[in-house]
């Protein structure tokens, strides 16, 4: 029986590695089940160490199959949130540490971030959750001009320029286009941590650079 169990764990480990090993989009893995076998599986040598490093924790479930998967997600919500917060803190601590340098490879604010994005210099775009920024096309003296603004301050900005709004595009859509073009990643950050709140107070938008801007 012990040999059969070990063979089973080995098969599951091989299937897990085959499914997850080369998937860079996977941020974390939950392991769930009705008994103690899941703990044995996580501690065993059946899993590749790279997969093990992505395991957020184990979750007890009363069901198997599709119902068990749903139950695992619901019960594992705190583990997922903790992992997300840990990741955010790590990113932002690195951002602020870089910001203190003489020639930092980070920028913040709408204009500098967009400049880095358009130049392909942004390795990672950081956005605070809930911050809405738009690209607006406005008409000034019969000429169209492109501007960027926080959505709730757009009307005031257009009025100060004696312009008339033609159309707006959410900045996140533009970021997605450039991200696909230059391989830039995007991180949406919460305000649940001290670092997250501090970044929000800086304007809620910034970038980690590949190289220094001119």
């Amino acid at each position: 029986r012990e040999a059969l169990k070990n063979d089973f764990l080995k098969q599951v480990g091989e299937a897990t590695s085959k499914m997850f090993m080369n998937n860079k989009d996977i941020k974390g893995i939950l392991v769930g089940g009705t008994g103690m076998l899941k703990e044995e599986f996580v501690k065993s040598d059946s899993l590749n160490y790279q997969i093990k490093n992505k395991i957020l924790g184990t979750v007890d479930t009363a069901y198997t199959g599709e119902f068990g998967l749903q139950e695992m997600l619901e019960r594992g919500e705190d583990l997922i949130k903790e992992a997300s917060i840990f990741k955010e803190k790590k990113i932002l601590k690195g951002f602020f540490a870089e910001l203190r340098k003489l020639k930092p490879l980070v920028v913040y604010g709408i204009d500098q971030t967009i400049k880095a994005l358009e130049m392909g210099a942004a390795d990672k775009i950081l956005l605070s959750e809930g911050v809405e920024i738009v690209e607006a096309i406005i008409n000034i003296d019969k000429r169209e001009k492109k501007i960027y603004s926080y959505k709730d301050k757009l009307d005031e900005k257009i009025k100060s320029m004696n312009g008339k709004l033609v159309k707006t595009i959410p900045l996140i859509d533009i970021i997605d286009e450039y991200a696909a073009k230059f391989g830039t990643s995007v991180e949406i950050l919460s305000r649940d941590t001290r670092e997250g709140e501090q970044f929000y107070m800086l304007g809620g938008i910034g970038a980690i650079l590949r190289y220094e801007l001119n």
Side-chain angles (χ1 to χ4, degrees):
R1 184 175 178 181
E2 190 70 18
L4 288 172
K5 182 185 73 173
N6 291 335
D7 285 344
F8 172 72
L9 292 180
K10 184 178 179 182
Q11 289 173 25
V12 176
E14 289 173 352
T16 304
S17 296
K18 186 177 180 181
M19 190 175 294
F20 296 150
M21 192 67 177
N22 296 316
N23 192 329
K24 295 180 180 179
D25 294 329
I26 292 174
K27 308 302 181 185
I29 298 170
L30 293 176
V31 181
T34 57
M36 298 296 294
L37 195 58
K38 58 186 177 293
E39 279 81 10
E40 289 188 51
F41 176 63
V42 170
K43 292 175 183 177
S44 73
D45 296 328
S46 306
L47 275 172
N48 182 284
Y49 76 95
Q50 291 174 288
I51 300 295
K52 271 190 177 183
N53 290 339
K54 291 188 177 183
I55 292 178
L56 306 180
T58 59
V59 181
D60 289 320
T61 64
Y63 302 96
T64 58
E66 189 175 341
F67 289 111
L69 286 171
Q70 185 61 40
E71 184 184 15
M72 183 174 66
L73 286 175
E74 291 172 1
R75 292 191 175 187
E77 190 174 346
D78 288 342
L79 289 171
I80 295 170
K81 188 174 181 180
E82 284 174 17
S84 178
I85 287 175
F86 177 79
K87 181 186 175 185
E88 286 183 10
K89 286 174 72 72
K90 185 177 179 181
I91 291 171
L92 287 174
K93 281 181 178 179
F95 177 89
F96 288 120
E98 187 67 32
L99 192 59
R100 290 191 289 270
K101 294 180 180 179
L102 186 61
K103 293 184 177 181
L105 284 177
V106 294
V107 293
Y108 65 91
I110 296 175
D111 293 336
Q112 284 292 95
T113 303
I114 289 171
K115 179 182 177 182
L117 184 67
E118 291 177 340
M119 290 175 62
D123 182 56
K124 193 185 297 288
I125 296 292
L126 308 179
L127 281 173
S128 289
E129 206 171 48
V131 169
E132 292 187 81
I133 301 171
V134 296
E135 177 188 278
I137 306 299
I138 62 173
N139 194 307
I140 303 176
D141 296 329
K142 298 182 180 180
R143 291 185 179 181
E144 289 192 349
K145 180 179 177 66
K146 181 169 65 177
I147 63 171
Y148 295 93
S149 171
Y150 294 101
K151 190 176 181 180
D152 59 352
K153 295 180 179 179
L154 180 60
D155 291 342
E156 183 183 337
K157 189 168 184 177
I158 293 173
K159 187 177 180 181
S160 70
M161 298 173 72
N162 295 316
K164 184 177 180 181
L165 180 64
V166 177
K167 67 175 181 178
T168 62
I169 304 170
L171 183 62
I172 191 65
D173 292 347
I174 296 164
I175 288 174
D176 286 343
E177 288 181 22
Y178 278 101
K181 182 178 180 181
F182 294 116
T184 303
S185 61
V186 182
E187 294 288 344
I188 306 298
L189 307 169
S190 72
R191 296 172 62 186
D192 296 337
T193 64
R194 183 187 64 175
E195 294 84 359
E197 183 64 24
Q198 188 178 352
F199 182 74
Y200 177 81
M201 296 305 292
L202 277 179
I205 182 171
I208 297 171
L209 305 178
R210 296 186 172 109
Y211 52 82
E212 191 179 348
L213 295 180
N214 296 328

